[in-house]
């Protein structure tokens, strides 16, 4: 009898990619494959790529080498955003056998004829205009939370971004399917669902393959809040212009949605926001933060920001720095601008030298650390609910409160994937929060 074939996965990039890798992994399981760790010997290695940063491009080659080291005869497939944007570039990497673009990645098992190594990388990638159908997905199995994809693609034309080129137009899962997936997740004893997509506030568009909205994002969160068995729902990232008052109010009164928003800003300078073709000015951002804090003073607000965009003079950078410094936010995700082919920004004047980009990035990362610390300090002596993770980290178990404060307590395997009411007591030397259990732990 033939031994079962083994498959291993490596995911670069965002939460959406993680949810899609999980869906692809389930299709392999249905074909009789066993999933193994990427460091182990496998018959096929699947690398889900990302194109958001330069780094992701470079890391790809290193990951292919890792796969070849584990098994020089293994079949190596590349899927995902970078595979859609630069298929030939990936196919030319030594050791890559198959490259699948946006519409093909979910049909990967159809392309694996005999798993024999190819002399050169075989490319199957569509014209991105063909990526107009929706494939729902969610990830489970490796965490106490699941990432549930509700939307894909983007109709925005931000001048720095390749995602519309890599993922196509904005389209959504049907409400029925999202709720079905959410129920499936809740039946697997997973306590938290994180909603993901490229532009999830745009949910509803393309739900039935056309542009009309049958449902809105507000409808979606309203219905998800009713799904039994889900303890926590988290909105991963939502554009400020799509984060409506009604959604903020719903979260504030919700049974399951947690007080945590991640709202991309990208720049605190209106001049730069215009050059980026963002769909709001900084005044709207101030308004969204104020509204959130008004109804949920303890809410955690994360911010995406890009430094070094063309035309970002020292003055405009300081505008961003000071804007963020004064804003009641909890942490930053800082991205250093990198030129991407086929984007408007790549041809713009006012290029910021790489050294300057790096210095600005460091400054904002320092500001992020200060903001996080101040937010944690504001939470000391409050009582919160913590969902504990599954790893033993040097004798401690970690977890997150509903408003995204990371806590630690001595390792106890019984805490894994459970929710507990705790008092936040003090910030430890490593920046994590110490806790006291409010109710005695059942022995």
């Amino acid at each position: 009898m033939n031994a079962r074939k083994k498959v291993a996965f490596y995911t670069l990039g965002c939460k959406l990619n993680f949810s899609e890798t999980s869906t692809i992994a389930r299709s392999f399981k249905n074909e009789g494959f066993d999933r193994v760790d990427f460091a182990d010997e496998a018959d096929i290695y699947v690398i889900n790529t990302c194109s958001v940063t330069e780094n992701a491009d470079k890391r790809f080659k290193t990951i292919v080498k890792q796969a070849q080291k584990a098994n020089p005869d293994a079949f190596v497939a590349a899927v995902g955003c970078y595979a859609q944007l630069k298929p030939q570039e990936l196919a030319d990497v030594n050791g890559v056998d198959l490259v699948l673009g946006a519409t093909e990645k979910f049909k990967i098992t159809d392309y694996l004829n005999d798993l024999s190594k190819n002399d050169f990388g075989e490319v199957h990638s569509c014209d991105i205009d063909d990526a107009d159908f929706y494939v729902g997905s969610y990830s489970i199995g490796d965490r106490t939370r699941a990432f549930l994809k509700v939307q894909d693609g983007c109709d925005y034309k931000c001048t720095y971004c390749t995602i519309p080129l890599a993922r196509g137009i904005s389209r959504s899962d049907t409400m029925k399917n999202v709720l079905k997936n959410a129920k499936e997740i809740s039946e697997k004893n997973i306590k938290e669902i994180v909603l993901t997509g490229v532009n999830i506030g745009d949910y509803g568009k393309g739900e039935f393959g056309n542009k009309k909205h049958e449902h809105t994002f507000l409808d979606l969160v309203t219905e998800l809040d009713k799904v039994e068995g889900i303890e926590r729902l988290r909105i991963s990232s939502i554009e400020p212009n799509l984060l409506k008052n009604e959604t903020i109010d719903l979260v504030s009164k919700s049974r399951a949605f947690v007080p945590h928003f991640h709202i991309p800003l990208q720049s605190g300078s209106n001049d730069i926001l215009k050059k980026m073709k963002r769909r709001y000015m900084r005044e709207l951002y101030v308004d969204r933060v104020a509204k959130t804090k008004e109804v949920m003073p303890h809410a955690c607000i994360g911010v995406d920001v890009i430094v070094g965009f063309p035309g970002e003079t020292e003055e405009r950078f300081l505008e961003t720095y000071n804007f963020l410094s004064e804003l009641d936010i909890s942490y930053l995700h800082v991205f250093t601008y990198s030129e991407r082919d086929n984007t408007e920004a790549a041809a713009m004047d006012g290029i910021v030298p790489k050294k300057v980009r790096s210095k600005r990035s460091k400054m904002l990362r320092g500001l992020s650390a200060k903001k996080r610390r101040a937010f944690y300090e504001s939470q000391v002596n409050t009582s919160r609910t913590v969902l504990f993770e599954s790893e033993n980290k040097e004798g401690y178990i970690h977890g997150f409160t509903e408003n995204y404060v990371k806590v630690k307590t001595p390792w106890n395997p019984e805490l894994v994937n459970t929710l507990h009411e705790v008092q936040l007591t003090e910030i430890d030397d490593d920046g994590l929060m110490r806790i006291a259990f409010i109710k005695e732990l059942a022995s």
Side-chain angles (χ1 to χ4, degrees), residues 151-156 170 197-203 237 239 242:
Q151 182 273 344
D152 201 348
C154 189
D155 292 341
Y156 287 10
S170 177
V198 174
N199 187 357
I200 62 173
D202 210 19
Y203 176 82
S237 178
E239 293 283 306
L242 295 173

Side-chain angles (χ1 to χ4, degrees), residues 150-188:
V150 299
Q151 182 273 344
D152 201 348
C154 189
D155 292 341
Y156 287 10
K157 299 283 186 287
C158 302
T159 54
Y160 51 83
C161 186
T162 55
I163 285 175
L165 300 172
R167 283 186 170 271
I169 58 170
S170 177
R171 54 211 188 273
S172 308
D173 205 347
T174 61
M175 177 82 86
K176 189 177 164 192
N177 199 44
V178 173
L179 295 173
K180 176 181 90 67
N181 283 342
K183 285 194 179 78
E184 274 176 30
I185 292 166
S186 74
E187 282 157 12
K188 293 180 165 72

Side-chain angles (χ1 to χ4, degrees), residues 48-286:
N48 193 353
T49 62
C50 164
S51 70
V52 170
T53 63
E54 257 177 330
N55 239 359
D57 307 359
K58 291 176 188 142
R59 280 183 62 196
F60 177 75
K61 288 179 182 161
T62 315
I63 296 157
V64 173
K65 281 189 184 130
Q66 277 175 21
Q68 288 178 302
K69 198 172 161 192
N71 179 6
D73 301 322
F75 190 89
V76 177
V79 301
C81 289
Y82 195 35
Q84 174 65 34
L85 286 174
K86 302 266 180 90
Q88 205 48 56
E89 211 170 283
L90 293 192
D92 292 343
V93 172
N94 189 21
V96 174
D97 299 292
L98 178 67
V99 178
L100 296 181
T103 61
E104 292 78 18
K105 62 188 168 192
F106 295 106
K107 299 178 276 195
I108 181 169
T109 51
D110 299 348
Y111 291 97
L112 305 175
N113 308 328
D114 55 357
L115 291 192
S116 56
K117 294 288 287 172
N118 291 330
D119 295 336
F120 52 88
E122 193 183 315
V123 173
H124 296 275
S125 85
C126 63
D127 184 320
I128 197 60
D129 293 343
D130 298 337
D132 56 0
F133 57 88
Y134 185 85
V135 178
S137 56
Y138 60 85
S139 77
I140 48 170
D142 44 357
R143 294 191 174 88
T144 46
R145 62 183 62 88
F147 295 113
L148 172 58
K149 173 179 161 187
V150 299
Q151 182 273 344
D152 201 348
C154 189
D155 292 341
Y156 287 10
K157 299 283 186 287
C158 302
T159 54
Y160 51 83
C161 186
T162 55
I163 285 175
L165 300 172
R167 283 186 170 271
I169 58 170
S170 177
R171 54 211 188 273
S172 308
D173 205 347
T174 61
M175 177 82 86
K176 189 177 164 192
N177 199 44
V178 173
L179 295 173
K180 176 181 90 67
N181 283 342
K183 285 194 179 78
E184 274 176 30
I185 292 166
S186 74
E187 282 157 12
K188 293 180 165 72
N189 192 30
I190 287 169
K191 303 282 192 283
E192 181 175 311
I193 291 179
V194 182
L195 302 185
T196 73
V198 174
N199 187 357
I200 62 173
D202 210 19
Y203 176 82
K205 196 182 276 182
E207 191 183 348
F208 298 101
N210 54 29
K211 283 293 173 202
K212 82 173 177 27
H213 273 262
E214 180 78 12
H215 296 107
T216 62
F217 184 68
L218 181 65
D219 296 337
L220 178 73
V221 291
T222 306
E223 290 308 308
L224 277 169
D225 202 29
K226 298 173 189 165
V227 176
E228 281 174 31
I230 301 168
E231 303 277 349
R232 273 186 183 181
L233 285 155
R234 203 177 286 277
I235 295 167
S236 63
S237 178
I238 183 162
E239 293 283 306
N241 51 306
L242 295 173
L243 178 57
K244 305 292 187 209
N245 284 349
E246 294 80 1
T247 304
I248 296 171
D249 286 332
L250 179 129
V251 170
S252 73
K253 301 184 183 91
S254 157
R255 176 193 69 82
F257 276 94
V258 294
H260 175 204
F261 291 101
H262 193 89
I263 315 170
L265 168 69
Q266 311 312 12
S267 175
S269 156
N270 280 343
D271 291 338
I272 296 290
L273 287 173
K274 283 175 193 156
K275 288 188 77 175
M276 289 176 163
K277 291 195 177 165
R278 301 291 286 158
R279 298 194 173 195
Y280 53 86
M281 292 288 104
R282 56 188 257 165
E283 290 73 16
L284 175 86
Y285 200 92
V286 171

